[in-house]
């Protein structure tokens, strides 16, 4: 699976475009905004977008979803239904942060732990990793050893849990039980900031490393 990351919005949220290099079937993960940047990259790479995938319901991850889904005529999959309250509050979120008028929406399909998403000849495994938000999902592609983690885990840090229905203990458990069970050489694509690896975070992340929890 190939991936290109495009930082979008004033929050510099990492929108990921992923695709099967054999079929050029693609998915957009977390299109938070800057719709034209995303479309320009898709056109440049000559990709065929099949779906939009959402890790969670925060504005900077979903702000351009409705427009892109309509323009590309593709379904929206995810997040987990426990994040419905965030999607229902998009109008208030957008007013608070000056994002224009982003309307609430319901995805074509909610996803849950253990689901999978096919993309060309590749299959993404869906992991439910609550804590940052209750319905946060992670998308893992095992053959290329890539995982898109949204705001669960960052290089040297972890997601915030001071938002409504955030839960610090639950976030730690999600990382330790779900993400750290993946191979050490899996590349981690966070929702903000640089990439890292599972092994790097297990060994040195001050919030969740093995030395603190082993």
């Amino acid at each position: 699976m190939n991936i290109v990351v495009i930082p979008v919005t004033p929050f510099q949220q990492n929108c990921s475009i992923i695709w099967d290099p054999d079929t050029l079937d693609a998915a957009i993960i977390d299109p938070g905004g800057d719709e034209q940047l995303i479309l320009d990259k898709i056109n440049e790479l000559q990709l065929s977008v099949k779906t939009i995938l959402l890790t969670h319901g925060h504005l900077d991850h979903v702000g351009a979803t409705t427009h892109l889904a309509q323009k590309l005529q593709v379904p929206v999959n995810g997040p987990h239904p426990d994040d419905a309250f965030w999607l229902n509050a998009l109008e208030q979120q957008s007013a608070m942060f000056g994002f224009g008028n982003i309307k609430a929406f319901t995805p074509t399909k909610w996803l849950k732990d253990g689901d999978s998403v096919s993309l060309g000849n590749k299959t993404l495994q869906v992991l439910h990793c609550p804590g940052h938000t209750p319905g946060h999902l992670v998308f893992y592609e095992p053959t290329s050893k890539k995982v898109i983690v949204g705001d669960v885990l960052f290089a040297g840090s972890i997601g915030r849990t001071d938002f409504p229905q955030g839960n610090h203990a639950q976030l730690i458990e999600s990382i330790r039980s779900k993400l750290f069970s993946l191979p050490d050489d899996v590349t981690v694509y966070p929702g903000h900031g640089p990439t890292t690896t599972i092994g790097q975070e297990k060994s040195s992340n001050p919030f969740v490393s093995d030395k603190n929890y082993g």
Side-chain angles (χ1 to χ4, degrees), residues 149-168:
V149 301
D151 288 355
V152 173
L153 180 68
F154 302 112
S157 189
I158 60 174
R160 292 174 58 175
T161 55
D162 56 340
F163 294 117
Q165 297 190 36
N167 186 309
H168 181 78

Side-chain angles (χ1 to χ4, degrees), residues 2 44-45 55 59 69-70 86 90 94 97 112 118-119 134 141 146 149 152-153 164 168 177-178 206 211-212:
N2 289 359
E44 175 191 330
L45 296 170
T55 62
L59 174 67
Q70 291 173 347
W86 277 117
L90 280 173
S94 61
F97 292 105
K112 63 184 186 301
S118 296
L119 197 64
E141 204 290 298
K146 293 180 172 72
V149 301
V152 173
L153 180 68
H168 181 78
S177 67
K178 297 283 184 68
K211 70 177 94 175
N212 292 332

Side-chain angles (χ1 to χ4, degrees), residues 16-212:
S16 296
I17 301 171
I18 63 172
W19 69 98
D20 178 346
D22 295 326
T23 66
L24 299 184
D25 288 348
I28 304 168
I29 302 181
D30 288 356
D34 295 328
E35 175 185 328
Q36 196 56 50
L37 281 179
I38 299 168
L39 289 171
D40 287 347
K41 181 57 70 173
I42 288 164
N43 290 333
E44 175 191 330
L45 296 170
Q46 298 184 321
L47 302 177
S48 176
V49 177
K50 301 301 182 184
T51 185
I52 293 172
L53 302 175
L54 302 178
T55 62
H56 65 293
H58 284 165
L59 174 67
D60 59 325
H61 290 254
V62 306
T65 298
T66 301
H67 285 166
L68 279 172
Q70 291 173 347
K71 185 165 291 189
L72 297 169
Q73 292 294 291
V74 296
V76 177
N77 291 305
H80 185 283
D82 285 353
D83 263 19
F85 78 102
W86 277 117
L87 296 182
N88 291 335
L90 280 173
E91 196 162 355
Q92 296 95 309
Q93 289 187 67
S94 61
M96 184 182 302
F97 292 105
F99 265 61
N101 189 17
I102 308 297
K103 298 293 187 185
F105 66 89
T106 300
T108 312
K109 181 182 179 182
W110 301 103
L111 296 174
K112 63 184 186 301
D113 194 71
D115 283 346
S116 62
V117 178
S118 296
L119 197 64
N121 299 316
K122 304 295 184 182
T123 300
L124 299 169
Q125 298 175 5
V126 178
L127 309 178
H128 182 210
C129 292
H132 178 66
T133 68
H136 202 301
L137 299 175
V138 161
F139 298 100
Y140 173 50
E141 204 290 298
T143 64
S144 60
K145 295 190 174 180
K146 293 180 172 72
V147 63
I148 296 93
V149 301
D151 288 355
V152 173
L153 180 68
F154 302 112
S157 189
I158 60 174
R160 292 174 58 175
T161 55
D162 56 340
F163 294 117
Q165 297 190 36
N167 186 309
H168 181 78
Q170 195 176 46
L171 179 65
I172 299 299
E173 173 63 19
S174 291
I175 295 168
R176 297 283 307 168
S177 67
K178 297 283 184 68
L179 296 186
F180 283 5
S181 66
L182 302 178
D184 283 355
D185 58 348
V186 168
T187 302
V188 176
Y189 292 84
H192 303 267
T195 60
T196 181
T197 66
I198 293 294
Q200 178 67 28
E201 299 314 304
K202 284 170 71 174
S203 67
S204 66
N205 188 304
F207 299 93
V208 286
S209 68
D210 284 347
K211 70 177 94 175
N212 292 332

